[in-house]
Amino acid sequence: MAPDVFYPAAGTASKAHCSSMQQYRQMHARSLEQPEQFWGQIAEQFHWEAPTKGKFFEFNFDIRKGPVFVRWMHQASTNICYNL
């Protein structure tokens, strides 16, 4: 049995960052297909104490090329409370 889905009131949804399931699905797909661009746009909305040094996003999953890693916003820092 599938769980119930409770949708927000239309007035609330119209003011939300993500206002529909269709928009959510589009955003989710873009976050998977173009993660650097997607999260880069999100990051532009925040105040940063120190910006990213080097690439915004880099990774290596090939052990023949060195250690496996994923690095986002290397050396960047923010005060999340300020951004709230």
Side-chain angles (χ1 to χ4, degrees):
M1 181 173 184
D4 292 331
V5 176
F6 299 95
Y7 293 98
T12 302
S14 69
K15 297 174 189 171
H17 175 71
C18 182
S19 59
S20 69
M21 280 304 288
Q22 179 183 358
Q23 182 184 10
Y24 168 79
R25 287 184 181 110
Q26 290 170 345
M27 291 172 69
H28 180 253
R30 186 164 172 256
S31 76
L32 298 175
E33 295 162 5
Q34 300 173 319
E36 187 170 358
Q37 293 82 7
F38 178 83
W39 290 109
Q41 284 183 326
I42 300 291
E44 287 174 2
Q45 299 172 31
F46 289 92
H47 165 78
W48 294 95
E49 302 288 333
T52 298
K53 303 227 192 275
K55 294 181 178 180
F56 179 80
F57 172 59
E58 56 186 328
F59 63 93
N60 177 43
F61 294 131
D62 186 343
I63 61 171
R64 296 170 294 177
K65 295 180 181 178
V68 171
F69 72 92
V70 176
R71 185 177 299 130
W72 288 92
M73 300 178 277
H74 185 62
Q75 295 184 333
S77 66
T78 187
N79 178 336
I80 199 64
C81 293
Y82 180 88
N83 284 294
L84 288 174

